Amino acid sequence: MFGLFAKQRVMGIVFAVAFLIAAAALGILYLWSPHATLRITSGVEGSKAQRFISAFIKVAEAQHPRIKFQTVPVASLTESAKALEQGKADIAIIRSDATLPVNGETLVILRHDAVAVIVPHHSSISSLPDLTGKSVAIPSGPAQDDDSHALDLLLSFYNITPDKVKREFLAIEDIGPAIQHKRVVAAIAVGPVGPGPAVDTVASIAAATKGTPKVLGFDDADAIVKRFPMFESYDVPEGGFKGKPAVPDDTVTMLAVNYRFAVPITMLDIVADAIGRSILTAKAQLMNVAPMAGQIEAPDVSDQNPLLPIHPGFAAYLSNGDQSFFDQAQRYLYIFGIPLSIGASLITLLVSMFNARGSKKDRDAVERLLSIAHEASTADRERLETLEKELHEAVSDCVAKTGDAATGDQWKTQIVMQHAMRRFERRDAMLKAGAAPSQTPQTPDVSPPDSP
């Protein structure tokens, strides 16, 4: 009877230990896996972002031989965001004024691109609303649709519908001649302060018009940013787009968009931290193969209203500095350890409950045997036969449950069985001899069973 529950207890312990070992093995296998593959969007075909991604992969794989990168081709920045949303990419290059992934968080800021409204030196245009009813040039290329969309957003701030400003997508070298021949009155170029579309557009206009172009500022930049947080207020220093003569001729407050690496919310903190710090530490090496890497920077952890929040794994590194592997892994030990501890406790509780139920059944069986033995000492012939049947059923039940086990408190049951059988034999002898039934309860005979 008791052997079955002993087996259940052992099986429960074995199961709990096996579960803990399996969980620990999986954790170690994950943390110490010799290889990892991260999928990263490639950037728009032919863009500087694509060249930067190629350079980044080369440097990152040299620094971390165990990490491999697999590029995910995309036709636009909108598709890059969707690739992250749909789980097709682990890292995506994002532009702040394009479609943003709903499941994304920021890792690092790659660069800031000013939205430059450039007019010739003789132009009377002094602000964006002055472009209403006129035509502007936008540098053609992979980002032309995104640049046009940025213009639409800015026009909407002034309640100007997009169709009120016509656009011509031109090669940068053709923008200057187009302004000279008055096909367009201005150019909208989105690019960094440094080599890029804005600087090249200024040079094209200066060469064609034989004068120093002007760059328009945004006096209401802060109000625009509040309405459209995908933009940021951005101060372009004197000579930021052209050194001599300086363009602009003084510091100008403009608007800018930014490019960033976004990762999914579900990325483990340890992984996000490793990637983020690798990018920052590899900045100098990246600049040798991709000049735009010079603008890489960590996001501002004090920003209370970020467009895409910083991934908490990298934010912890930026806030607290370097941490050891065990400091970073500690939270995962808690995450995995608590459920495992609860699981083991539940298994122990279930085993105890089964054991308790088994013990109660054992006590009930012993009490029933004692009751049968006590009643048999005063029973008449008819009742004795009925009790004998009950005794037979009780003994059969005990034997069936106990099987061939001989552990636990089985000796108690054996003693009570023998005690009951002796009572039956004694009473049967008395009835055959014609003795009167005894009214005095007999002291139970609980002596040990006879030796075989």
Side-chain angles (χ1 to χ4, degrees):
M1 180 186 301
F2 299 98
L4 179 62
F5 298 106
K7 289 180 180 179
Q8 290 177 339
R9 185 186 298 112
V10 173
M11 289 178 63
I13 295 173
V14 170
F15 177 77
V17 172
F19 183 76
L20 290 172
I21 293 174
L26 288 174
I28 294 172
L29 180 63
Y30 178 81
L31 294 174
W32 296 100
S33 177
H35 298 288
T37 300
L38 296 175
R39 299 161 299 169
I40 183 170
T41 56
S42 61
V44 181
E45 182 71 27
S47 66
K48 288 188 175 182
Q50 186 185 42
R51 293 192 290 273
F52 171 77
I53 294 297
S54 298
F56 165 72
I57 291 174
K58 190 176 298 183
V59 172
E61 288 185 346
Q63 279 194 331
H64 304 281
R66 294 193 307 168
I67 298 177
K68 300 298 179 184
F69 290 89
Q70 177 184 340
T71 57
V72 178
V74 291
S76 66
L77 293 171
T78 298
E79 286 193 13
S80 182
K82 287 183 178 179
L84 193 70
E85 282 186 2
Q86 296 170 358
K88 297 177 180 178
D90 304 302
I91 307 173
I93 188 167
I94 303 297
R95 180 167 145 169
S96 60
D97 63 327
T99 303
L100 299 177
V102 297
N103 65 331
E105 291 184 324
T106 299
L107 202 60
V108 296
I109 304 296
L110 299 176
R111 79 170 195 243
H112 302 272
D113 277 8
V115 181
V117 183
I118 310 164
V119 297
H121 65 282
H122 53 72
S123 177
S124 61
I125 295 173
S126 61
S127 64
L128 196 68
D130 293 340
L131 297 176
T132 305
K134 300 178 173 62
S135 296
V136 300
I138 295 177
S140 59
Q144 65 180 32
D145 292 338
D146 294 311
D147 295 347
S148 182
H149 176 64
L151 176 59
D152 292 344
L153 290 175
L154 295 177
L155 290 173
S156 68
F157 177 81
Y158 300 103
N159 297 319
I160 301 172
T161 57
D163 61 348
K164 296 296 184 181
V165 178
K166 296 181 180 179
R167 301 110 202 267
E168 287 195 34
F169 299 104
L170 302 172
I172 289 179
E173 61 270 19
D174 295 331
I175 292 178
I179 287 182
Q180 182 186 17
H181 295 99
K182 299 185 180 182
R183 286 172 49 196
V184 296
V185 299
I188 309 294
V190 181
V193 176
V199 171
D200 294 342
T201 300
V202 168
S204 176
I205 296 173
T209 61
K210 308 301 181 183
T212 304
K214 296 184 292 186
V215 179
L216 304 186
F218 288 83
D219 295 334
D220 39 15
D222 290 341
I224 294 174
V225 171
K226 284 186 178 296
R227 184 182 298 184
F228 302 112
M230 65 281 296
F231 294 106
E232 57 189 43
S233 181
Y234 191 67
D235 291 335
V236 177
E238 177 184 350
F241 295 129
K242 190 173 185 295
K244 190 176 181 179
V247 179
D249 58 5
D250 197 1
T251 299
V252 176
T253 298
M254 302 174 64
L255 293 168
V257 297
N258 61 66
Y259 289 83
R260 62 184 67 196
F261 271 154
V263 296
I265 297 172
T266 53
M267 178 175 281
L268 293 177
D269 290 357
I270 292 177
V271 178
D273 174 41
I275 298 172
R277 71 170 69 193
S278 293
I279 295 172
L280 296 182
T281 56
K283 180 176 177 178
Q285 293 175 272
L286 286 170
M287 288 175 61
N288 293 329
V289 291
M292 68 172 284
Q295 296 191 43
I296 293 175
E297 63 183 46
D300 184 4
V301 294
S302 64
D303 188 354
Q304 298 299 313
N305 188 31
L307 190 64
L308 283 179
I310 308 172
H311 192 286
F314 192 48
Y317 165 70
L318 296 175
S319 300
N320 305 323
D322 202 6
Q323 295 179 321
S324 70
F325 171 81
F326 290 103
D327 290 333
Q328 298 177 56
Q330 186 175 16
R331 74 177 61 188
Y332 295 103
L333 294 178
Y334 281 119
I335 291 173
F336 291 112
I338 291 175
L340 289 174
S341 177
I342 293 174
S345 299
L346 288 174
I347 291 172
T348 303
L349 177 61
L350 290 173
V351 172
S352 299
M353 290 174 61
F354 278 117
N355 289 340
R357 290 178 60 186
S359 298
K360 185 178 184 303
K361 290 180 179 179
D362 293 341
R363 289 194 300 272
D364 291 345
V366 170
E367 290 174 1
R368 179 55 182 152
L369 288 170
L370 286 173
S371 175
I372 291 173
H374 179 72
E375 190 176 350
S377 62
T378 58
D380 56 22
R381 172 62 63 183
E382 182 178 354
R383 179 58 180 160
L384 189 65
E385 291 178 357
T386 301
L387 291 175
E388 187 175 7
K389 292 180 181 180
E390 291 186 22
L391 176 63
H392 177 73
E393 291 175 359
V395 171
S396 298
D397 185 56
C398 289
V399 172
K401 291 182 177 180
T402 305
D404 59 352
T407 59
D409 294 335
Q410 186 182 355
W411 63 271
K412 295 180 181 178
T413 308
Q414 292 177 349
I415 291 174
V416 175
M417 285 182 184
Q418 291 198 15
H419 166 66
M421 293 174 68
R422 287 175 180 172
R423 283 297 178 92
F424 271 78
E425 292 171 357
R426 187 179 305 160
R427 184 59 182 166
D428 184 62
M430 291 174 63
L431 290 174
K432 289 180 179 179
S438 172
Q439 301 300 325
T440 303
Q442 302 295 316
T443 302
D445 180 7
V446 291
S447 59
D450 297 334
S451 298

